[in-house]
Every structure is written in C-alpha cells, then in structure tokens.
Amino acid sequence: MGTAVKADQGNTTRRISMAVPIRTAVTALCASLAAALLTTAPAQAEQHDRHDQSWSLSGGAHAPRAQITLDDTTGTLSLAVSREGRTVIEPSPVGVVTEQADLSRDLRFLHRKDRTVEERYRTKSGKRLDRRVRMHETRLSFATAAGARLDLVVRASVDGIAYRYVLPSGAGDVLGETSAFNLPADAKAWLGTYRVDNEGQFAPYTAASAPTGDYSDQALFSTDGGYTLLAESGLTGTYSGARLAHTQGTGTYRVELADDRVHSDGPLATPWRAMVTGDLATVTRSTFTDDLAPASRVRDTSWIRPGTVLWTWLAGGRAAGQSLAAQKAYVDYAAERHWPYEAVDAGWYYRPGEWDVTDPDWQSDSWMPELVRYARAKGVGIIVWIHQRDLDTPAERAQWLPTLEKWGVRGVKIDFMNSEAQPMLQWYDTILAETAAHHLMVDFHGSTIPKGIQRTWPQVMTLEGVAGEEKRTNTAAHLTTLPFTRNVIGSMDFTPGAFQRVGLRPNSDAAEAGLAVAYESGLQMLAGTPESYEARPLARAYFDQIPAAWDDTRLLAGEPGQEAVLARRSGARWFLGGIYAGAARTAEVPLSLGPGRWLVETIRDGADGLVQDRRVLRGGDTLTVDVVANGGFAGLACPWRPGITTCHR
C-alpha cells in the first residue's frame, strides 16, 4: 500500500497514491487545477510576513471574474471584478455590521464550498420567456476571534457577478453594510439621483465627477472591462432597500440601507449585490437579476396574461375616472383595436373630500361591476387604480381584494408606496401573496424597481420606478439611457404613446411609437387619446400588432444618452424600436436578425406626419432611416419570400 500525500487547496483535499509515479501525479494535479473554473490560491505577498488569501470565481472563458481577497493584516474582505484581464470593478470592501459583531474586519477563513447552479424556467413577460441559468457559486465561511460567523456567497455567470451575506441565528439586527463599489475615477457613469419613488432622471458623469449625494442602486459604468450595471436582486421584507452614496472626487459608491436598523429574528440571507457585466448588448439582454431571484411562488399562472392596455389617465384624467360613460367609450375603443385591457385610473372610487371605502355601502354604490361586465362582453379586461393606503391593513385587503376578484377585475395598479424601508417591503411580501391568491395581476406605481420580483411573483406585470411619460422635464438623452439602466432589470411602466402631449415630451411622433418596443413592459400601457391615435393611423396600426411578451430581445445599436435601437421577437417577426437624442441624422442600424432576406417596414417622421417605408434586406445588411432631431422610428421585420408584401397580420 503506497504512502498518501495530501494536497490542500482551500478546503479541498486530494489524496494522491505514491504507487503512481511522482511526475505523473504532479502533472495530473496541475492539469486539474488549470482546468478548474473555481480556484483559490495565496495572493502575492508584498511583505515576507504577509500572506493574504484569495479566491477566484468565473462563469466561463470570456465571462467576468470575481476575485475575493482576505487581508492578512486587517482581516478585511474585498471583491474585485475583471473581464478578460481588464478592470470592471476595482477591489472593493465587503462586509456587514450587526448589533452582535462587526463582520467587516478581523475575520479569519474557515472553509469553502462550491457548487454549480443550473435551472430552466419560463416567465410570463420580459425580454424572453424561456430562461436557462448556469452559475458557479462559492460559499466562503469566516469568523471573528469571538466566534461570530459570516458566510459570503458569490455567484458568477456569463453576464454577471453577484454576492450576498448569510448570517446565522443570533447575529442580531443589521446596523449597516460596509459594501461599496470602487470604480476607476475616469469611468463613464450614468446615474439616477435617488428618490423614494425611483423616478430620478439618469444623467452622464464620470465615476469621480458625479456630485456628492445619493443615487439609485441601479448605476451604469463603462470601464476598459466593458459595461457594468450595478443592481440588486432578491429584496424582500427580511431586509432593507439600498441606494448608493457617493462623495465627489472619488470613484467609490457605498451601499446605504433605507433603515438604520434591519430587524432579524433568525438566520438571514441578504439581497444579492449584482454586477451585470459585458459589452452593451450583453448587459441590455441580460436576465441576471431575475436568474438570481427565488423561483416562482405561483403554481397556476394560466390567468396571468400580458397585453396592451389603453390607459386613460393622460387621456382624460380624474374626470374620466369618475365617469362610467367615459370609461365605456374607452372600452369600446380598446375593443375596436383588439387591445386586451383598459385601465381605470384614480377617480373611480373617489368623491371630493372623502374616499368611498369609508361608506359602508361603497361596494353597492360603485359602477365598476357594470363596467367590468360591459368590457367582458367586448373581450376587454379591466385594470383598476388603487391607493396603497387603502390596502395597508389586513381588514382593508380583506375588503378590497375579494371584492375586485368577485367583480371580475383583471388587475390592480397600486400607487404611492414611496419607500424601500423594511416595513414597506414586508407589506410588499403580503400584498404579493394576496394578489396571487385572488388572481389579480399587479402594476406597481410610486414603487420599488423589479429586483427579481417578476420571477418570484409572475403576476407582477410591470412597475413604474421610472421618470416616465407623465413627467414634463424628461430629456431625449434620459429616454435613450433607460434601455441600458432601469429597463435592464425588468418591466418598466413608462406609459408610451402619448401623442397628444405635443410640447410636453422631448421626442418626435416616430420616436414615441418606437418607445412601445424599445421599452419592455408586461402590461404596455398606451397613454394616448383615441383622437391622437386616429390622427396617426400608421402608429395606431403598429400598436395593434405589438405583443407584450417576447421570445427574444437584441440590441442592434446603442450608446447611453445618444441612441438605442432594440429588436424584440414574437414568433418569426421582429419588432424594432429606435430612439435618438441630438441632431437629425440618417441612422445606420445593423440588421442583425439572422440569415436570409427580411421584409422591413419602418415608420419615420415625414414633413407632414408619419411615413412608412418598405424594403427587402439581407440579414447583416445596414438599415438606414432618416431621423429628425430627438427622433426615432418604429419597425417590423419578417422573413421575406416572393409574394410577401407586408409584415402586418
């Protein structure tokens, strides 16, 4: 029996029999280590008495790579991200402080556990319905001298790196994180000023030049390693929402929580701090934040159906919401267009000076059941607006939700949460479970942003969390940044199509039509008036064709703040949405839809209104479109063969 030699690699022990020749054994071990995606090795010591420990994790050959380092002197952890040897995120502090222990320093390494996460799931909406997940995960366990424990869980995919903290029972409340992201000072940055309703506009800076202040935790940076979108996933009422705190002159963005103290009664897994990384097309197409989130908690999803919605708030305001006759007229128009939903906004249960729910007879007084019956007979579903304060207590939810379900309402637009503090997140947990139980689709306004919520609760069709069409201060640059920032992580209820708001929006009519494709939303709420659609028959006919669920999404051309051209596929047809900021130009768009010939129909701005062009191009050709200042286009492409003259059905 040969003597055994132990080769210790982190917490992995290999036994090599001396019966095998030494050179063969060493060669085999080296080859095994070189092929491994998950590695751990001592960092190069700067001093003879320093032996920092370092662990590396990557999702593949051209994927981003995380490097986690434990400083031997201070016991502090840092995490850096690179891609193909180029900087994505510089070494950045990692750690958390609880009422029982400071788990950001004086740590010692205990052990490591690796696994591969592989999943397939299907969504009801989003960039593509079928998803396949493959991520490498490493769990690094640490302890302080007093025995306080911290596990750092890191995941790596082809398009992202993410980490979270796992704390055992008895760790106590969380007092804050020392987590931060260090960017090169000259990195390009697109940041949205933090607001509780997440409706800050995105503006360009460099990482260091951004003014001192708080920013949305969704922040896009460009370094020599490519584009990186900072994001969050798996946020629930067990924790607190995050924002980024920055001091001008540095490239550091610190994670600050909405609560000074996050209450925890037992084991705790924090949300994921995610970095969606790659070229701009990879970041735009990524579903990384959904992939990190827990699987769906809704078993039967057959009642969840995305679709186009005629939204009447910008069309008629509160007066329309108070009028059954007006709402029936909107239902008639939605039915004529074969749009599956009509949304009744604020006013339908409002009387001057009081809320109808204070009246014991409010249910019998409401005309909503009549509207729902009227709409159902015409093939239109009704979605109703409701204030969060009217769903704030168990008694209110028990009054509202079963009643709306009994009436046949298809969904609720819940407004004015305006907080990501732990108590409000706990309310989200409750309302998500209860709306699913009552078969009500959900559109959150004045809200958090998706953060994986649409995978776990697929009845959430869309969320606002954006400076959308209602705003009168939006810029064309902001509109062309949204596809690369806010809309990357999930459905965005921007409410496009408000053609009647001439002078109140920064873009052209063709660009406004293109927004319905450039921006993804499970319920695409079209904000125009019937009169505005009738005055633009090309846009109206285009909207008639648009689905709200997509088989695939591709970025054809883009630069944040300047241009964004997205292609979304439904079946064999690709819908195109192009938006631009700046001077008029002839846009040149690579038609990267696949081989063969394509019939391409585009809608652009002409001298006297919208104009449609048709041409046959080969896959890979350049599509040229004349674009006016701050303009854009909408398009539709389908496989061409002799005799095909239109892509419309």
Side-chain angles (χ1 to χ4, degrees):
M1 195 74 176
T3 306
V5 176
K6 293 184 178 180
D8 190 8
Q9 184 210 3
N11 68 322
T12 304
T13 302
R14 289 184 172 88
R15 298 181 65 85
I16 305 171
S17 173
M18 291 296 292
V20 180
I22 294 293
R23 180 175 297 175
T24 302
V26 171
T27 301
L29 178 58
C30 291
S32 174
L33 292 175
L37 285 170
L38 309 174
T39 63
T40 179
Q44 181 67 40
E46 296 179 4
Q47 304 174 16
H48 292 296
D49 59 348
R50 181 169 176 174
H51 302 283
D52 295 350
Q53 297 180 73
S54 186
W55 303 266
S56 181
L57 182 71
S58 177
H62 303 289
R65 176 174 295 276
Q67 191 80 23
I68 307 100
T69 301
L70 178 65
D71 186 286
D72 181 61
T73 302
T74 61
T76 57
L77 283 167
S78 65
L79 184 144
V81 180
S82 62
R83 190 167 70 98
E84 298 187 295
R86 297 179 179 273
T87 298
V88 173
I89 303 289
E90 295 177 343
S92 303
V94 173
V96 63
V97 178
T98 76
E99 62 181 349
Q100 299 297 327
D102 183 348
L103 297 168
S104 66
R105 59 187 177 89
D106 300 326
L107 298 173
R108 58 185 176 86
F109 175 64
L110 298 179
H111 53 79
R112 171 183 183 170
K113 182 178 181 181
D114 297 323
R115 69 179 183 129
T116 298
V117 178
E118 293 190 275
E119 298 174 316
R120 298 197 71 166
Y121 67 98
R122 184 172 174 84
T123 65
K124 300 298 290 190
S125 60
K127 301 173 193 177
R128 56 187 176 275
L129 300 181
D130 288 311
R131 314 279 181 88
R132 184 172 183 177
V133 180
R134 180 178 174 83
M135 294 183 281
H136 296 294
E137 177 185 289
T138 189
R139 185 175 183 132
L140 303 169
S141 296
F142 303 91
T144 66
R149 290 285 301 273
L150 170 71
D151 282 5
L152 177 67
V153 182
V154 185
R155 285 187 178 178
S157 181
V158 295
D159 56 0
I161 299 291
Y163 69 88
R164 76 190 318 176
Y165 307 114
V166 177
L167 304 175
S169 296
D173 294 348
V174 173
L175 304 183
E177 296 184 20
T178 57
S179 316
F181 301 95
N182 289 332
L183 281 302
D186 60 351
K188 293 181 180 179
W190 293 267
L191 307 174
T193 302
Y194 178 75
R195 292 172 41 141
V196 293
D197 58 7
N198 291 290
E199 294 180 19
Q201 288 192 21
F202 285 89
Y205 305 96
T206 64
S209 69
T212 297
D214 291 346
Y215 295 92
S216 168
D217 65 325
Q218 271 188 281
L220 181 68
F221 298 91
S222 175
T223 67
D224 64 351
Y227 288 85
T228 298
L229 180 71
L230 304 184
E232 187 174 28
S233 181
L235 177 65
T236 70
T238 63
Y239 208 65
S240 179
R243 59 184 180 269
L244 297 175
H246 174 250
T247 301
Q248 190 171 34
T250 75
T252 298
Y253 289 79
R254 296 179 289 105
V255 173
E256 285 198 355
L257 302 180
D259 298 278
D260 294 331
R261 175 184 291 262
V262 179
H263 296 287
S264 178
D265 296 327
L268 174 66
T270 70
W272 295 98
R273 304 274 166 249
M275 293 149 276
V276 185
T277 298
D279 58 24
L280 195 58
T282 297
V283 171
T284 306
R285 190 174 186 268
S286 174
T287 61
F288 187 54
T289 53
D290 280 347
D291 298 343
L292 289 165
S296 173
R297 294 184 58 182
V298 181
R299 184 169 299 178
D300 174 19
T301 61
S302 60
W303 53 275
I304 304 172
R305 298 177 183 175
T308 299
V309 187
L310 177 59
W311 180 51
T312 62
W313 180 252
L314 293 186
R318 188 180 298 279
Q322 292 175 329
S323 170
L324 174 60
Q327 292 301 321
K328 283 185 175 181
Y330 288 128
V331 165
D332 290 343
Y333 191 77
E336 179 184 341
R337 303 259 52 85
H338 301 288
W339 296 350
Y341 301 108
E342 190 253 347
V344 184
D345 215 282
W348 70 272
Y349 70 99
Y350 178 77
R351 295 174 185 165
E354 67 176 26
W355 293 92
D356 277 1
V357 290
T358 64
D359 182 348
D361 297 324
W362 73 273
Q363 294 183 21
S364 60
D365 289 345
S366 177
W367 46 255
M368 184 57 67
E370 180 181 346
L371 179 65
V372 173
R373 289 191 297 269
Y374 180 84
R376 185 190 297 122
K378 292 178 173 285
V380 176
I382 295 296
I383 296 167
V384 299
W385 178 94
I386 187 169
H387 200 294
Q388 186 273 339
R389 66 186 175 193
D390 293 316
L391 296 170
D392 198 27
T393 67
E396 289 168 336
R397 292 189 294 273
Q399 180 183 42
W400 274 104
L401 301 181
T403 299
L404 295 175
E405 181 185 27
K406 180 180 66 176
W407 287 348
V409 168
R410 296 298 306 279
V412 286
K413 175 182 174 181
I414 308 174
D415 209 344
F416 295 115
M417 282 69 69
N418 291 346
S419 172
E420 291 179 321
Q422 189 176 25
M424 184 58 74
L425 295 175
Q426 291 169 344
W427 174 87
Y428 274 105
D429 293 344
T430 299
I431 200 68
L432 288 164
E434 294 188 4
T435 51
H438 290 289
H439 300 97
L440 293 168
M441 295 185 294
V442 179
D443 173 5
F444 285 122
H445 266 233
S447 66
T448 184
I449 48 182
K451 301 186 178 183
I453 194 174
Q454 290 184 276
R455 180 184 180 187
T456 308
W457 298 102
Q459 84 273 19
V460 179
M461 305 308 294
T462 190
L463 302 89
E464 189 181 30
V466 66
E469 194 73 87
E470 291 182 85
K471 303 301 179 186
R472 302 189 178 197
T473 57
N474 280 345
T475 65
H478 170 65
L479 301 191
T480 58
T481 304
L482 289 175
F484 311 112
T485 50
R486 164 62 181 86
N487 211 191
V488 170
I489 65 165
S491 291
M492 180 177 76
D493 193 10
F494 184 89
T495 66
F499 295 110
Q500 76 277 14
R501 290 171 66 84
V502 176
L504 298 178
R505 52 184 170 86
N507 57 348
S508 71
D509 280 357
E512 191 69 18
L515 290 181
V517 172
Y519 297 162
E520 183 276 320
S521 182
L523 292 175
Q524 189 64 281
M525 300 247 177
L526 300 178
T529 63
E531 295 77 15
S532 70
Y533 299 130
E534 292 305 302
R536 298 165 178 83
L538 288 175
R540 181 196 65 198
Y542 186 73
F543 287 162
D544 290 349
Q545 298 288 309
I546 292 178
W550 304 103
D551 295 315
D552 199 2
T553 292
R554 294 182 185 177
L555 177 69
L556 301 185
E559 176 65 26
Q562 299 180 33
E563 64 174 348
V565 184
L566 282 93
R568 303 189 193 273
R569 181 174 63 83
S570 176
R573 300 190 300 170
W574 287 90
F575 290 77
L576 313 178
I579 50 179
Y580 295 82
R585 72 197 77 177
T586 297
E588 297 184 348
V589 180
L591 198 67
S592 306
L593 304 180
R597 293 187 176 185
W598 296 88
L599 175 62
V600 183
E601 303 175 340
T602 55
I603 300 170
R604 59 179 173 84
D605 297 290
D608 299 313
L610 296 176
V611 176
Q612 185 175 65
D613 300 313
R614 287 190 176 94
R615 71 203 83 173
V616 176
L617 298 172
R618 291 187 179 274
D621 285 353
T622 297
L623 170 68
T624 59
V625 183
D626 290 335
V627 174
V628 301
N630 294 332
F633 69 93
L636 182 55
C638 60
W640 180 84
R641 63 179 184 273
I644 298 294
T645 60
T646 181
C647 292
H648 283 236
R649 294 174 181 170

